[in-house]
């Protein structure tokens, strides 16, 4: 339930069902108010507004009940977290003060606890106000303008300066004029009056809107796509005259995206492919799991250090092994320059990978070669969130894929919306083509099924934090330095093998 995109667990569950016969699986950690909220949002997205209202209202009732229980439980004995219990010494008034500070901290944590899905660490941002945001528009669409105004005013208790909802409230008031006094419609009292003006600390105002035919701009209660926490730039020099610019972020319908051609030549693609066939290991990078993403394909990979090791031992041509090192450095420099980064971009992981369609398993196939995901956070389409927490590689900042061939069927790279369904851009791989993008939740992506042949690419992940530099890359730098000292031939691409420190 915490990782709905995890293919292997899904397959394991299906196997367990088959083995055990007809069974009904129950999530013992599910929170009913959260289940109702998710169901309400799903109906809202399908424009089934009456059903959305039923589930969202039920979710609100469940939230208030759970919150009251949580508040009551906080009134009991508390552990003094900042003091060793057996050595704790305090006077009467100090002990009373410490106790009630713990009670207040506990009550404050109820907000976080109720907004956190089972299996997650981080809460859903703006969780309680979002109920009212969805409801105000849903009630409008079913023609209940009184309830729409009531929910809009309730939302504004949390975010009084939200321009979209303020405009919505004004519009609802206009619809009610002549039939009743809009000033008599008040925000809902149950939560606000009972606990005071307690703010939801994880708040992001609603900001994506639409314009219905019969009214002004109305907030659709949709949260904006996540954005990187740094200044966004792009359009810097590509550094190499042969590299051809194809599309930028706007043309790819997203943020921090670029598509380039001719990053490497046809001959370099062929040479790299020959190296791959000699060094790749099935399941490399996935603890030997030969089909980590789909049972319908075989996955193989190799790192840059392994390529250099094989080259040094004479198992593959050293020149070809070094090509893998050099073109990955070339890609790093291009990404760093194009996105106009003001600090050094370091390798986080470098992987030469091939996906091969398994014969006899392609009929009626409806899965992906690589499910939709983000590279530095856990994508949660139902919550419209990308959780930047372990086990995600939260330190990754930019990603790139450099393709080596086109002689296969399927395998298109796709970007999607946060729902992991709506495709915003599709890219057909070919030799020398490179797609690069920021690694966060603003860029959910995946790979369509490879239905025939083998699809190969150099996968690259980068970080701006030197603490998370790829260890094998540092070792590969040392191998290159040693080879240069032994006069085994400087790189034809004239690239400094050392990352800048």
């Amino acid at each position: 339930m915490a990782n709905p995109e995890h293919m292997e667990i899904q397959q394991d569950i299906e196997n367990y069902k088959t083995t055990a016969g007809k069974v009904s699986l129950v999530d013992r950690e599910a929170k009913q108010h959260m289940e109702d909220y998710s169901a309400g949002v799903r109906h809202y997205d399908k424009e089934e507004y009456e059903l959305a209202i039923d589930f969202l209202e039920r979710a609100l009732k469940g939230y208030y009940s759970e919150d009251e229980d949580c508040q009551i439980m906080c009134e009991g004995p508390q552990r003094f977290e900042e003091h060793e219990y057996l050595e704790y010494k305090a006077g009467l008034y100090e002990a009373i003060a410490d106790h009630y500070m713990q009670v207040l901290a506990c009550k404050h944590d109820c907000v976080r606890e109720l907004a956190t899905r089972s299996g997650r660490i981080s809460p859903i941002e703006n969780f309680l106000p979002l109920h009212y945001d969805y409801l105000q528009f849903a009630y409008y669409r079913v023609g209940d303008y009184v309830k729409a105004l009531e929910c809009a005013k309730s939302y504004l208790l949390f975010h009084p300066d939200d321009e979209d909802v303020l405009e919505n409230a004004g519009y609802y008031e206009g619809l009610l004029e002549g039939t009743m006094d809009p000033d008599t419609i008040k925000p809902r009292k149950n939560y606000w009056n009972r606990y005071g003006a307690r703010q939801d600390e994880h708040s992001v105002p609603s900001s994506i809107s639409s314009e219905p035919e019969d009214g002004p701009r109305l907030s659709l209660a949709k949260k904006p796509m996540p954005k990187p926490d740094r200044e966004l730039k792009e359009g810097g020099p590509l550094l190499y005259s042969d590299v051809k610019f194809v599309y930028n972020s706007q043309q790819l319908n997203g943020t921090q995206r670029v598509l380039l051609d001719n990053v490497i030549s046809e001959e370099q693609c062929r040479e790299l492919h020959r190296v791959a066939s000699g060094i790749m290991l099935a399941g490399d990078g996935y603890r030997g799991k030969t089909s980590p993403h789909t049972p319908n394909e075989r996955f193989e990979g190799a790192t840059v250090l392994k390529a250099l090791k094989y080259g040094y031992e004479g198992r593959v041509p050293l020149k070809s092994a070094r090509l893998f090192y050099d073109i990955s450095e070339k890609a790093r420099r291009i990404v760093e320059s194009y996105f106009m980064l003001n600090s050094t971009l370091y390798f986080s992981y470098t992987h030469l990978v091939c996906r091969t369609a398994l014969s006899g398993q392609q009929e009626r196939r409806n899965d992906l070669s690589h499910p939709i995901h983000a590279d530095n956070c856990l994508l949660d389409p139902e919550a419209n969130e990308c959780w930047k927490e372990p086990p995600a590689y939260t330190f990754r900042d930019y990603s790139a894929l450099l393709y080596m061939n086109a002689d296969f069927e399927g395998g298109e790279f796709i970007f999607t919306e946060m729902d992991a369904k709506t495709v915003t851009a599709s890219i057909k791989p070919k030799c020398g083509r490179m797609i690069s993008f920021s690694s966060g939740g603003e860029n959910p992506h995946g790979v369509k099924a490879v239905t025939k042949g083998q699809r190969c690419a150099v996968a690259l992940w980068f970080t701006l934090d030197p603490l998370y530099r790829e260890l094998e890359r540092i070792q590969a730098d040392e191998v290159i330095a040693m080879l240069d000292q032994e006069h085994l031939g400087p790189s034809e691409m004239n690239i400094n093998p050392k990352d800048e420190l």
Side-chain angles (χ1 to χ4, degrees):
M1 304 302 283
N3 300 283
E5 300 294 322
H6 199 290
M7 291 291 295
E8 285 190 331
I9 295 298
Q10 288 181 15
Q11 291 161 18
D12 288 344
I13 290 175
E14 292 304 317
N15 291 336
Y16 299 149
K17 285 181 178 179
T18 302
T19 304
K22 189 175 181 181
V23 294
S24 178
L25 300 179
V26 179
D27 179 9
R28 298 295 184 184
E29 295 184 344
K31 301 174 181 178
Q32 190 57 51
H33 74 278
M34 188 70 75
E35 296 298 305
D36 290 336
Y37 171 79
S38 298
V41 173
R42 285 195 296 271
H43 287 298
Y44 181 96
D45 288 338
K46 295 177 183 177
E47 298 186 359
E48 298 169 350
Y49 295 112
E50 290 185 352
L51 286 171
I53 289 168
D54 289 342
F55 278 101
L56 289 168
E57 291 286 14
R58 193 185 307 168
L60 272 176
K61 184 178 179 180
Y63 181 97
Y64 294 142
S65 177
E66 290 290 329
D67 187 71
E68 187 169 15
D69 290 345
C70 183
Q71 300 273 326
I72 292 170
M73 293 298 293
C74 289
E75 297 288 350
Q78 298 290 327
R79 296 182 60 184
F80 298 135
E81 296 178 358
E82 297 180 4
H83 305 283
E84 182 66 35
Y85 180 74
L86 294 177
E87 299 178 1
Y88 179 71
K89 295 179 181 179
L92 175 62
Y93 297 113
E94 290 174 318
I96 293 172
D98 282 340
H99 169 76
Y100 281 105
M101 286 176 64
Q102 292 292 319
V103 169
L104 289 172
C106 176
K107 290 185 175 183
H108 184 74
D109 283 343
C110 289
V111 177
R112 172 179 288 270
E113 175 67 23
L114 292 173
T116 303
R117 290 175 179 271
S118 299
R120 296 298 187 201
I121 297 173
S122 305
I124 297 175
E125 290 187 358
N126 208 23
F127 181 62
L128 179 59
L130 273 175
H131 290 71
Y132 295 113
D133 200 3
Y134 280 112
L135 282 168
Q136 57 94 13
F137 190 75
Y139 275 121
Y140 163 75
R141 293 307 296 266
V142 300
D144 192 336
Y145 305 136
V146 173
K147 292 281 190 181
L149 181 56
E150 178 187 82
C151 290
K153 288 185 174 182
S154 299
Y155 178 88
L156 289 170
L157 291 175
F158 296 92
H159 305 296
D161 298 324
D162 189 306
E163 293 183 0
D164 288 333
V165 181
L166 282 169
E167 188 172 344
N168 290 0
Y171 178 65
Y172 302 148
E173 289 175 351
L175 292 174
L176 293 170
E177 284 182 1
T179 59
M180 64 180 303
D181 183 3
D183 291 336
T184 62
I185 300 172
K186 304 296 181 183
R188 295 190 181 179
K189 297 180 179 181
N190 47 4
Y191 186 81
W192 199 260
N193 283 6
R194 194 165 61 198
Y195 303 126
R198 189 176 67 176
Q199 289 287 335
D200 184 343
E201 65 182 34
H202 310 290
S203 57
V204 175
S206 168
S207 64
I208 294 183
S209 57
S210 178
E211 194 162 329
E213 296 177 2
D214 56 346
R217 184 178 63 185
L218 294 177
S219 168
L220 291 183
K222 295 288 188 179
K223 292 175 59 183
M225 293 284 282
K227 295 180 181 179
D229 53 0
R230 58 184 171 274
E231 185 180 2
L232 303 183
K233 297 180 182 178
E234 62 178 281
L238 299 178
L239 303 180
Y240 301 89
S241 58
D242 292 341
V243 176
K244 179 184 176 183
F245 170 82
V246 183
Y247 294 132
N248 60 18
S249 295
Q250 184 177 2
Q251 293 163 314
L252 291 169
N253 304 311
T255 301
Q256 293 279 275
R257 303 174 181 177
V258 65
L259 183 65
L260 306 171
D261 278 344
N262 301 336
V263 176
I264 56 176
S265 67
E266 292 281 351
E267 176 55 36
Q268 288 173 325
C269 285
R270 288 192 290 269
E271 187 173 356
L272 202 57
H273 207 280
R274 287 193 293 269
V275 173
S277 62
I279 66 173
M280 286 194 308
L281 181 68
D284 185 76
Y286 289 92
R287 299 179 182 178
K289 297 175 182 176
T290 58
S291 301
H293 305 302
T294 168
N296 302 307
E297 298 175 18
R298 184 177 72 254
F299 181 93
E300 300 168 287
T303 63
V304 67
L305 181 63
K306 182 178 180 181
L308 289 173
K309 181 176 181 289
Y310 275 36
Y312 190 73
E313 294 172 352
R315 298 163 72 173
V316 296
L318 181 58
K319 179 182 177 183
S320 299
R322 180 157 183 168
L323 176 66
F324 180 15
Y325 175 94
D326 286 340
I327 65 168
S328 57
E329 171 64 11
K330 180 179 182 181
R332 185 197 69 81
R333 294 187 64 196
I334 292 171
V335 173
E336 181 182 82
S337 176
Y338 178 80
F339 289 114
M340 304 171 71
L341 303 177
N342 56 11
S343 59
T344 302
L345 195 63
Y346 302 97
F347 287 98
S348 167
Y349 191 50
T350 312
H351 209 201
L352 196 160
V353 298
C354 290
R355 305 167 186 271
T356 307
L358 296 177
S359 59
Q361 295 184 209
Q362 304 305 316
E363 284 189 21
R364 299 179 181 177
R365 185 177 170 187
N366 60 3
D367 64 345
L368 296 175
S369 176
H370 198 144
I372 304 300
H373 64 285
D375 286 342
N376 72 7
C377 53
L378 304 173
L379 189 64
D380 188 348
E382 288 190 359
N384 201 38
E385 290 279 0
C386 202
W387 308 100
K388 203 164 184 180
E389 61 188 43
Y393 300 100
T394 58
F395 47 84
R396 290 177 176 173
D397 294 298
Y398 283 89
S399 309
L401 291 155
L402 176 56
Y403 299 109
M404 295 160 47
N405 66 316
D407 55 340
F408 56 88
E409 293 181 8
E412 293 89 351
F413 177 94
I414 54 174
F415 285 113
T416 73
E417 299 283 4
M418 285 281 284
D419 61 7
K421 296 176 183 177
T422 307
V423 176
T424 58
S426 179
I427 294 148
K428 179 67 176 174
K430 69 175 185 177
C431 168
R433 172 162 286 179
M434 184 172 82
I435 180 70
S436 183
F437 48 93
S438 55
S439 303
E442 67 277 5
N443 282 319
H445 60 279
V447 179
K448 288 188 176 181
V450 178
T451 55
K452 185 177 180 180
Q454 184 183 66
R455 174 191 190 271
C456 295
V458 176
L460 302 153
W461 293 273
F462 306 103
T463 179
L464 294 168
D465 189 342
L467 292 176
Y468 292 99
R469 291 180 65 187
E470 182 183 9
L471 179 58
E472 286 204 8
R473 188 74 192 194
I474 296 173
Q475 295 172 322
D477 292 341
E478 294 170 353
V479 171
I480 290 294
M482 180 186 68
L483 294 176
D484 286 344
Q485 288 174 0
E486 294 178 2
H487 304 289
L488 293 181
S491 169
E492 293 181 0
M493 302 177 83
N494 194 28
I495 294 175
N496 181 3
K498 291 283 188 181
D499 279 344
E500 183 180 345
L501 293 174

